[in-house]
Amino acid sequence: MTPHRLRLGVNIDHVATIRNARGGDHPDPVRAAEIVAAAGGDGITAHLREDRRHIRDGDLKRIQAATALPLNLEMAATEEMVEIALAHSPHAACIVPERREERTTEGGLDAAGQHNRLAPIVTRLADANIRVSLFIEPEARQIDAAIRLKAPVVEFHTGRYAHMLLAGDRVGAETELKRIADAAALAHKNGIEPHAGHGLTFDNVVPIAAIPQIAELNIGHYLIGEAIFIGLEESIRRMRMLMDEAR
Ligand code: PXP
């Protein structure tokens, strides 16, 4: 297949993490959203966590008002979050597993095991014209579950791939990369748009970006961390360049 231009969604959660560390207004994730737009990002991704450790309810409307970029709301499959999503009408909602004690989203959603719980949520979001994505492991049984749930998008968790590279396990990382590539092909064949994200950096993004069926990457922690050294605009531009070169 001919690879399309790969979209970059920038997750701005950790701008809010730094803001919240001091309890004031600075740095403001809204300003980060404006920079994402100026730097050629294709979307803003924000995770409203149950404990509001970074993005807060009031940030969502402000982000939507400040930029024309589509908002991808990452959310747990709870009644509270569904109501917030319906009240804000983001372009997309990515359903993620969430445990209060975890530092970040540590594994994919068990869409296969939670079909009955997820089905009404996916339907309510889809009926409100919100593009539903399921954050899953790159596994055939999870893709089958996404097909049964009629999710238009899946996002593959790339954390394992990133972690294996960091640990120096090249063979393991290659195996994981193949799992992601096979899963992307399977999703695409079934009419589901594959995305990917978690743990992506300048050093590991290229092989993921080269997978032709993947339409979007969502990247946060590294871009915000790198922004401390080179600025947010430059951090996004470099990521964008690496992604474009991979295609
Ligand atoms: N995609 C999803 C669904 C996520 O939950 C996260 C982390 O919030 C990301 C992408 C971005 O991961 P990272 O911050 O490691 O780039």
Side-chain angles (χ1 to χ4, degrees):
M1 66 174 286
T2 319
H4 304 284
R5 180 178 183 275
L6 181 60
R7 294 193 303 270
L8 171 60
V10 178
N11 184 317
I12 58 173
D13 292 348
H14 294 304
V15 177
T17 303
I18 298 174
R19 174 194 63 189
N20 297 356
R22 283 291 170 96
D25 301 337
H26 187 270
D28 188 348
V30 171
R31 190 163 156 206
E34 289 164 348
I35 294 173
V36 173
D42 300 286
I44 307 295
T45 295
H47 186 176
L48 186 68
R49 290 189 77 102
E50 191 191 0
D51 62 7
R52 310 301 198 266
R53 71 176 71 155
H54 34 61
I55 293 295
R56 294 177 180 149
D57 303 56
D59 293 329
L60 297 177
K61 271 215 161 44
R62 293 193 311 118
I63 291 167
Q64 286 178 303
T67 107
L69 288 182
L71 174 66
N72 171 30
L73 176 67
E74 292 176 355
M75 52 175 271
T78 63
E79 183 57 31
E80 181 198 16
M81 288 301 152
V82 171
E83 274 169 23
I84 290 170
L86 295 177
H88 288 78
S89 302
H91 168 75
C94 180
I95 302 180
V96 301
E98 194 174 306
R99 281 180 293 124
R100 201 178 267 271
E101 66 277 15
E102 70 189 355
R103 259 187 297 178
T104 180
T105 311
E106 282 159 11
L109 184 74
D110 183 12
Q114 294 187 39
H115 177 276
N116 293 348
R117 198 165 82 80
L118 292 171
I121 293 178
V122 172
T123 304
R124 282 167 74 197
L125 294 170
D127 286 350
N129 273 330
I130 299 170
R131 200 157 187 245
V132 179
S133 165
L134 303 176
F135 189 45
I136 57 173
E137 294 296 325
E139 292 168 1
R141 68 186 273 273
Q142 298 297 347
I143 297 166
D144 286 344
I147 296 168
R148 285 199 304 279
L149 286 163
K150 300 191 174 60
V153 177
V154 291
E155 180 167 327
F156 295 123
H157 197 308
T158 50
R160 212 172 133 86
Y161 157 78
H163 197 261
M164 283 175 158
L165 276 181
L166 271 184
D169 181 358
R170 293 229 141 246
V171 176
E174 277 302 319
T175 307
E176 188 60 19
L177 185 62
K178 184 165 183 319
R179 231 164 60 99
I180 297 167
D182 289 348
L186 181 63
H188 182 263
K189 201 175 99 188
N190 284 284
I192 296 182
E193 184 174 283
H195 298 178
H198 210 282
L200 296 177
T201 70
F202 293 157
D203 293 326
N204 67 19
V205 74
V206 168
I208 297 287
I211 298 171
Q213 295 87 356
I214 291 183
E216 178 175 308
L217 300 182
N218 284 297
I219 311 182
H221 185 268
Y222 184 83
L223 287 176
I224 305 302
E226 195 61 14
I228 295 169
F229 306 111
I230 63 173
L232 184 55
E233 186 155 346
E234 178 60 18
S235 169
I236 294 165
R237 283 194 198 288
R238 273 197 208 174
M239 189 61 84
R240 185 62 281 158
M241 206 177 70
L242 289 165
M243 287 165 54
D244 290 342
E245 282 172 6
R247 288 274 153 137

